[in-house]
């Protein structure tokens, strides 16, 4: 895609079926999107806490979760630095996105 004339940015991503958990707490309606770090330059993300991952993080099992998932999984405890399981695999939370707005799309990471 990057070689196509006019394409300025490209990022691989896929929808991942399954669930996100913190121990016994689950967020069953969370949309899980797996993407390279370039995603955040294409779709700038407002954060409540933490940071997005970058190229230096791509070898690590890290993630950014939405505010609703953070509240569901952690309640009032800060999510950044905590672990979650996505389809049974552990990931460290680097950031939490802003609360989604009604006009946001499916890709709002809420």
């Amino acid at each position: 895609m990057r070689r196509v004339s006019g394409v300025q940015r490209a990022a691989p991503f896929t929808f991942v079926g399954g669930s996100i958990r913190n121990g016994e707490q689950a967020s069953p309606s969370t949309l899980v999107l797996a993407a390279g770090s370039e995603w955040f330059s294409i779709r700038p993300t407002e954060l409540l806490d933490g940071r997005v991952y970058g190229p230096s993080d791509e070898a690590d099992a890290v993630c950014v979760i939405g505010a609703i998932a953070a509240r569901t999984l952690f309640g009032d405890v800060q999510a950044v630095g905590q672990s979650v399981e996505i389809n049974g695999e552990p990931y460290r939370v680097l950031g939490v996105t802003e609360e989604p707005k009604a006009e946001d799309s499916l890709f709002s990471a809420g």
Side-chain angles (χ1 to χ4, degrees):
M1 290 299 301
R2 290 182 181 110
R3 289 185 238 150
V4 174
S5 177
V7 172
Q8 295 178 358
R9 297 181 191 130
F13 76 92
T14 187
F15 295 102
V16 179
S19 65
I20 180 170
R21 307 183 69 76
N22 172 32
E24 295 300 314
Q25 299 291 10
S27 186
S29 63
T30 298
L31 172 68
V32 179
L33 174 71
S37 61
E38 300 96 345
W39 172 258
F40 298 108
S41 66
I42 295 169
R43 178 82 164 102
T45 304
E46 296 292 324
L47 297 174
L48 282 175
D49 195 17
R51 65 181 179 88
V52 297
Y53 53 89
S56 64
D57 297 304
E58 287 186 355
D60 300 328
V62 295
C63 65
V64 174
I65 64 175
I68 295 170
R71 190 170 45 252
T72 300
L73 297 172
F74 297 101
D76 293 331
V77 175
Q78 181 182 36
V80 172
Q82 302 289 331
S83 291
V84 295
E85 284 187 10
I86 301 172
N87 291 335
E89 297 294 323
Y91 290 82
R92 183 171 43 91
V93 177
L94 289 184
V96 176
T97 65
E98 287 278 349
E99 196 74 42
K101 296 171 182 60
E103 68 273 7
D104 282 350
S105 74
L106 180 64
F107 301 105
S108 67

